[in-house]
Amino acid sequence: MAAAFQGVFDSLPVPPRLLTVFCGVYAAYQTRRLLDFVWFYCLRPSSVHRYIHGPAPYALVTGASDGIGKGVARELYEHGFNLVLHGRNEEKLRKVADEIRARGNRDVRYFIADASDPSHDFAKLVGPFANLNITVVIHNVGGSSIAEDGIDSFTDASLAGIVHQNAMFPLLLTRALLPSLAHLRQAWARHRSIRRLRYRGHYAPAARRLRRLEGVPPRARARPRQ
Ligand SMILES: NC(=O)c1ccc[n+]([C@@H]2O[C@H](COP(=O)([O-])OP(=O)(O)OC[C@H]3O[C@@H](n4cnc5c(N)ncnc54)[C@H](OP(=O)(O)O)[C@@H]3O)[C@@H](O)[C@H]2O)c1
């Protein structure tokens, strides 16, 4: 067996020592990636508890009736947050809220708004939550199939809806929430999936796009409206 390998090495047009160095560097690189993975998914302590402060802290999660948003909402609830959920389908969202409430005794509220609809009155939307201690905002709703379907397969109205859902909805929602976020020490709007996407090099473009949707930038300071 060893002799067979020796034969292969001898037939390569690269000096064996160089090949050994290359294999060593590659193995070190892969080992580093594996250790990063183990650290990130298994060992790294959660930092979410630093956002549990003040009386009855709430996390607001958009697009929480399904997928990542629902999973993140559930996880935040289990970490001790009360929740304000957002979605567009009341029946679905009510079911999710009931499901999460059944896991503990904290508060779970929700509001309905189609994020692609530009006609919302955001002050009215968030009015019922104005007095809550919201310490985390996660702008999860977003995305589109433009990359797959091509820009010419959408009508003007559906393109405008996509832009609104991805850019204007999180922006206007954040602005409407600012007065109730005035006590925030630091805003936070990341979830594990985003971090995972960031971690994986081949998803970097999606991660960058998601980072732009992360909402309140870390050093944002809420200023009272004039
Ligand atoms: N999953 C991935 O691999 C991946 C990769 C890259 C980026 N992302 C991003 O991560 C986020 C969540 O992805 P996901 O896979 O969890 O998506 P998903 O399963 O489709 O869930 C999206 C959530 O957003 C809601 N939603 C969608 N459009 C809405 C609208 N116009 N108004 C209000 N609510 C709306 C959905 O409500 P309904 O239940 O009513 O549909 C659902 O609750 C998105 O921003 C997506 O672009 C995901």
Side-chain angles (χ1 to χ4, degrees), residues 63-69 86-89 92 113-116 140-143 165 197 206 210:
S65 59
D66 219 328
I68 295 170
H86 156 261
R88 60 182 166 183
N89 179 328
K92 215 168 154 183
D114 182 342
S116 62
N140 165 70
V141 73
Q165 168 171 313
L197 289 168
L210 278 168

Side-chain angles (χ1 to χ4, degrees), residues 17-166:
R17 194 165 285 184
L18 191 63
L19 201 62
T20 309
V21 170
F22 175 78
C23 290
V25 169
Y26 186 70
Y29 169 71
Q30 291 299 350
T31 308
R32 169 72 202 271
R33 286 192 63 181
L34 179 69
L35 291 177
D36 273 358
F37 181 90
V38 172
W39 162 251
F40 194 84
Y41 286 105
C42 311
L43 304 175
R44 194 176 63 100
S46 167
S47 58
V48 77
H49 292 106
R50 87 172 80 135
Y51 302 98
I52 297 184
H53 53 81
Y58 279 75
L60 186 152
V61 185
T62 68
S65 59
D66 219 328
I68 295 170
K70 178 177 164 185
V72 168
R74 214 163 30 199
E75 199 167 325
L76 287 167
Y77 189 77
E78 276 161 16
H79 275 87
F81 288 90
N82 299 279
L83 296 174
V84 177
L85 307 177
H86 156 261
R88 60 182 166 183
N89 179 328
E90 180 150 20
E91 200 185 328
K92 215 168 154 183
L93 199 55
R94 194 186 308 121
K95 222 166 137 193
V96 171
D98 289 345
E99 208 179 284
I100 296 179
R101 271 190 213 107
R103 293 166 167 255
N105 54 8
R106 282 180 295 284
D107 188 23
V108 182
R109 308 175 184 203
Y110 61 80
F111 68 102
I112 306 296
D114 182 342
S116 62
D117 178 353
S119 67
H120 293 301
D121 177 343
F122 283 84
K124 208 167 157 191
L125 274 184
V126 303
F129 316 116
N131 295 322
L132 299 181
N133 175 31
I134 297 174
T135 61
V136 169
V137 178
I138 298 187
H139 291 297
N140 165 70
V141 73
S144 83
S145 59
I146 286 182
E148 297 86 50
D149 301 340
I151 199 167
D152 46 354
S153 63
F154 291 86
T155 62
D156 290 3
S158 52
L159 278 177
I162 290 169
V163 171
H164 197 274
Q165 168 171 313
N166 283 284

